[in-house]
């Protein structure tokens, strides 16, 4: 019981201490933990990302395949980051995989504005004689 309370308190401190954008040992630890526990989100996440890029007909099957292929790297990198959290490798605790967390695929991105319509074709006037 006491061990789980200490672990919960430690995780709370790690979550509350660093600002969201700071790359710290605590954030690297949590990134590794999240990578180990939520790697399954790679499948729907890649499906969303590829659908945004290529449309649903191509994005869904391509994203499914990429997501399946990214589960194992996400878990392995998660273990590495979890165990090496106290050490600044890579430099400044930067994330190894992009997106940093598996749920970042689902962050809404502002859609790019549609391109302007093409100019109308020139009209040729015919003279009446």
């Amino acid at each position: 019981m006491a061990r789980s309370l200490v672990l919960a308190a430690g995780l709370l401190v790690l979550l509350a201490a660093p600002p969201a954008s700071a790359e710290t040992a605590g954030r690297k630890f949590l990134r590794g933990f999240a990578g180990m526990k939520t790697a399954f989100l790679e499948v729907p996440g890649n499906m969303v990302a590829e659908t945004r890029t290529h449309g649903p007909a191509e994005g869904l099957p391509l994203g499914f395949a990429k997501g399946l292929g990214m589960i194992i790297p996400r878990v392995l990198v998660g273990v590495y980051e979890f165990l090496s959290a106290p050490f600044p490798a890579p430099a400044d605790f930067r994330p190894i995989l992009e997106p940093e967390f598996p749920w970042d695929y689902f962050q809404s991105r502002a859609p790019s504005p549609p391109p302007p319509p093409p100019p109308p074709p020139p009209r040729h006037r015919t003279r009446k004689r």
Side-chain angles (χ1 to χ4, degrees):
M1 176 71 172
R3 183 177 170 190
S4 62
L5 287 175
V6 169
L7 182 62
L11 284 174
L12 181 64
V13 167
L14 288 174
L15 284 171
S21 62
E23 298 299 338
T24 63
R27 187 168 177 89
K28 183 177 177 183
F29 174 81
L30 291 175
R31 189 170 55 232
F33 185 76
M36 291 186 298
K37 295 296 182 183
T38 61
F40 64 91
L41 290 175
E42 285 290 336
V43 174
N46 273 288
M47 290 170 75
V48 167
E50 293 300 322
T51 298
R52 285 180 182 152
T53 305
H54 301 289
E58 187 178 341
L60 291 175
L62 180 62
F64 183 78
K66 284 178 76 173
L68 283 178
M70 282 301 295
I71 290 175
I72 292 175
R74 179 70 68 178
V75 171
L76 293 177
V77 169
V79 170
Y80 168 77
E81 289 192 326
F82 185 81
L83 296 176
S84 68
F87 312 107
D92 299 327
F93 302 102
R94 286 180 306 206
I96 295 173
L97 294 177
E98 288 295 329
E100 182 177 9
F101 295 100
W103 54 82
D104 287 346
Y105 288 110
F106 305 106
Q107 301 293 326
S108 63
R109 295 185 180 112
S112 57
R123 295 179 126 188
H124 295 351
R125 292 186 141 177
T126 57
R127 291 186 180 173
K128 291 186 178 181
R129 293 184 187 182

